[in-house]
Amino acid sequence: MSRLFTPIPTGKVDPTTMTTHRFGFDNVEDAFVMMAEKQDNIAKPLITF
């Protein structure tokens, strides 16, 4: 996993360009439901803490 996340702080990869939906931590359950039911073309949700 560390190899996967290494490019993010360097700016080589911007994960926000792949984000289709954003959720606060309080709504993480909503994100899982949407992913499980494939609602609203959700592909990559971003959970903020």
Side-chain angles (χ1 to χ4, degrees), residues 1-15:
M1 287 300 280
S2 63
R3 264 185 47 194
L4 181 65
F5 290 114
T6 300
I8 294 173
T10 64
K12 292 182 181 178
V13 174
D14 180 10

Side-chain angles (χ1 to χ4, degrees), residues 1-42:
M1 287 300 280
S2 63
R3 264 185 47 194
L4 181 65
F5 290 114
T6 300
I8 294 173
T10 64
K12 292 182 181 178
V13 174
D14 180 10
T16 58
T17 61
M18 298 176 267
T19 302
T20 59
H21 294 72
R22 294 173 184 262
F23 297 89
F25 187 72
D26 292 342
N27 300 99
V28 72
E29 188 174 329
D30 297 334
F32 282 112
V33 169
M34 286 184 73
M35 289 187 311
E37 298 178 1
K38 298 181 181 3
Q39 296 176 3
D40 195 33
N41 294 321
I42 192 168

